């Protein structure tokens, strides 16, 4: 399965879940606010560079945070497209109600949803990450330097020639 977009104009998001972020679930933390501002600047730069398509894996943490920033930017940059690549149907089923509502709201704003598996499998998250990389020329990664699925995705992206911009949430400043 491939996305019908021009790969050379496509960027995917990968990153840690809340437990891998210095602010955890508290997105009102000043570190998170600084981080979001930095992400927004990077997304605007990418759009102005010519990126028109953004792929998100829709996991809690960076994926959802970044996608919400893109939805906000879409109000100004109406031509950009957001594709949600969902590892398995009902991926949010065990999440708390707040995250389920947030997840469904984000999906309403995505231009396309691709569900890779009908049910959860031990490899579905990794399959999702590879799918996103295989359909992108660029990747923005929220990575804290520790072994994780994010690290594996970065390594795969670099191996396949995808250009990667790493944002370390532990080294936040206003000039990424």
């Amino acid at each position: 399965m491939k996305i019908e977009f021009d790969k050379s104009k496509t960027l995917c998001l990968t990153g840690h879940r809340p437990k891998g972020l210095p602010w955890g679930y508290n997105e009102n933390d000043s570190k998170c606010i600084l981080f979001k501002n930095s992400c927004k600047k990077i997304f605007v730069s990418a759009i102005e560079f010519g990126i028109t398509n953004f792929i998100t894996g829709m996991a809690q943490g960076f994926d959802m945070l970044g996608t919400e920033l893109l939805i906000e930017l879409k109000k100004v940059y109406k031509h950009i497209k957001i594709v949600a690549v969902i590892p398995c149907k009902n991926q949010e089923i065990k999440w708390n109600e707040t995250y389920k509502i947030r997840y469904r709201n984000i999906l309403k704003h995505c231009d396309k949803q691709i569900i890779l598996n009908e049910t959860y499998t031990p490899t579905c998250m990794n399959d999702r990450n590879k799918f996103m990389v295989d359909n992108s020329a660029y990747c923005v990664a929220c990575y804290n330097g520790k072994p994780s699925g994010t690290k594996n995705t970065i390594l795969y992206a670099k191996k396949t020639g995808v250009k990667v911009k790493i944002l370390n949430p532990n080294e936040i400043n206003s000039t990424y």
Side-chain angles (χ1 to χ4, degrees), residues 77-133:
Y77 301 96
K78 297 183 185 329
H79 67 288
I80 67 170
K81 304 289 183 215
I82 302 170
V83 177
V85 177
I86 301 163
C88 60
K89 201 177 221 178
N90 300 319
Q91 97 161 322
E92 80 287 6
I93 201 155
K94 293 182 179 179
W95 297 357
N96 70 39
E97 197 58 32
T98 301
Y99 265 91
K100 286 179 183 179
I101 291 167
R102 185 176 178 187
Y103 175 83
R104 291 177 189 131
N105 186 51
I106 292 169
L107 286 177
K108 287 179 196 172
H109 291 90
C110 291
D111 297 284
K112 184 172 185 166
Q113 297 176 30
I114 298 172
I115 299 172
L116 295 180
N117 294 285
E118 283 298 309
T119 60
Y120 176 84
T121 68
T123 64
C124 71
M125 303 299 174
N126 190 49
D127 295 343
R128 178 219 33 223
N129 296 343
K130 284 186 173 184
F131 180 90
M132 293 191 314
V133 168

Side-chain angles (χ1 to χ4, degrees), residues 3 5-7 9-13 39-40 42-57 66-67 69-71 73-74 77 79-85 109-112 132 135-136 138-140:
I3 298 174
F5 294 148
D6 181 346
K7 181 177 175 174
K9 295 180 179 184
T10 304
L11 180 151
C12 66
L13 309 179
C39 289
K40 197 170 186 178
I42 288 167
F43 294 155
V44 167
S45 293
I47 294 165
E48 291 176 353
F49 175 73
I51 301 300
T52 56
N53 312 305
F54 294 85
I55 303 175
T56 175
T67 306
L69 292 172
L70 289 166
I71 290 166
L73 287 170
K74 197 171 173 157
Y77 301 96
H79 67 288
I80 67 170
K81 304 289 183 215
I82 302 170
V83 177
V85 177
H109 291 90
C110 291
D111 297 284
K112 184 172 185 166
M132 293 191 314
N135 285 280
S136 300
Y138 304 92
C139 177
V140 171

